[in-house]
Every structure is written in C-alpha cells, then in structure tokens.
Amino acid sequence: MSDEATAAAPYALDIGRVMAALPHRYPMLLVDRIEALNLDRSITAIKAVTINESFFQGHFPGRPVMPGVLIVEALAQAAGVLAVESLGLAGSGKLVYFMAIEGAKFRKPVEPGCLLKLEVEFVQKRASVCKFAGRALVDGALAAESAFTAMIADPPV
C-alpha cells in the first residue's frame, strides 16, 4: 500500500487520545471513543449515554432525555478532535471554541442506554476558523443535526 493510501486510511482513537485532544473532563467530556478519523475530512465518534449522567437528575425525572444542547456539544467535541488532529495541534494548548450554531434540529429523543453515534465532517477548513456539519444517530436513526463554526485559539491567560 502506498504512503498516500496509508495516510488517508481512517483510524480509531481510545479515550486517552480523546482526552489528549480535548481539554474537557467529567462531567463535560461527551465523547467516549473515536471509531473512525479521516484526517482533513470527517470523524465518527461514540457517546455512551448512561442513566448516571448528571443531567438526567433534572431533565426529566421520570422520563430522562438528553438535552439537545448537550447533543450539539457532543458533536462539537467530536469536531474539536477532528480539527486538532487534522491541523496537527495535539499538545499545542490550542482550544476549539464555538462561534456559531446553525440549523440545529432535533428529531428523536436520546435516552439512557443509547449509543449516540456522532458523525461530523469539515465543510470549510482554515488555520483559525473551521465550519462543520454534524449528525447524531441512535440505532441508525437521525436524532439531531446541526451546522456549526468553531475558532482555533490560544487559551485565556
């Protein structure tokens, strides 16, 4: 296999590599593993949704549903891993900040026990601003979708 074909092949990341790419930690880390990372193109990540999530205590007792804003945050975190890995920023201290969320739509409730599949692709990639399109799926059914823009920046001093 050629070097180009090897470089383009998707690869997986465990939670340790996810944590190396993102500054988020419990309870805000919403990506458990990366199933497929295609540098400069796309990422497929997994969030295992459990009843132990702190937000289920109040959203909603008796009918727990993952808040839509956290589904979009999970998509953004997957996008953050894609950006950090694609732009070679791992270990640089750079952060990926939301700039805009567009066209967010929620199609199906996400409940405890679900494996939330997060699919994100680059729409546009520049050195400091990237645009993404994301979809969250449960058992192959669309649960949520959104387009969003993020900025790559130094952490606050």
Side-chain angles (χ1 to χ4, degrees):
M1 191 181 290
S2 73
D3 287 340
E4 273 185 15
T6 303
Y11 58 94
L13 302 177
D14 64 13
I15 189 64
R17 289 281 302 274
V18 170
M19 291 173 70
L22 297 176
H24 304 77
R25 296 296 180 263
Y26 177 84
M28 282 307 297
L29 181 61
L30 300 175
V31 173
D32 293 318
R33 73 174 183 267
I34 306 302
E35 288 191 328
L37 174 61
N38 295 288
L39 292 176
D40 300 316
R41 291 184 33 221
S42 63
I43 192 167
T44 302
I46 297 295
K47 163 65 179 150
V49 182
T50 73
I51 193 62
N52 296 324
E53 311 283 351
S54 60
F55 51 80
F56 284 136
Q57 293 177 32
H59 198 267
F60 303 100
R63 178 72 166 96
V65 176
M66 185 174 183
V69 68
L70 293 180
I71 297 170
V72 174
E73 173 66 21
L75 288 166
Q77 288 182 20
V81 174
L82 175 60
V84 165
E85 292 288 324
S86 294
L87 297 171
L89 300 174
S92 70
K94 298 277 188 185
L95 298 176
V96 181
Y97 291 110
F98 259 137
M99 289 178 68
I101 301 168
E102 301 163 8
K105 294 181 181 152
F106 305 97
R107 308 286 188 190
K108 176 182 176 171
V110 176
E111 302 170 317
C114 292
L115 282 180
L116 189 61
K117 187 175 195 174
L118 308 163
E119 298 177 344
V120 179
E121 61 185 29
F122 275 117
V123 172
Q124 185 178 53
K125 180 172 57 99
R126 296 197 173 126
S128 62
V129 176
C130 300
K131 292 186 178 185
F132 304 92
R135 301 175 347 132
L137 301 113
V138 174
D139 295 329
L142 184 64
E145 60 188 326
S146 181
F148 44 95
T149 305
M151 171 179 51
I152 314 297
D154 291 320
V157 182

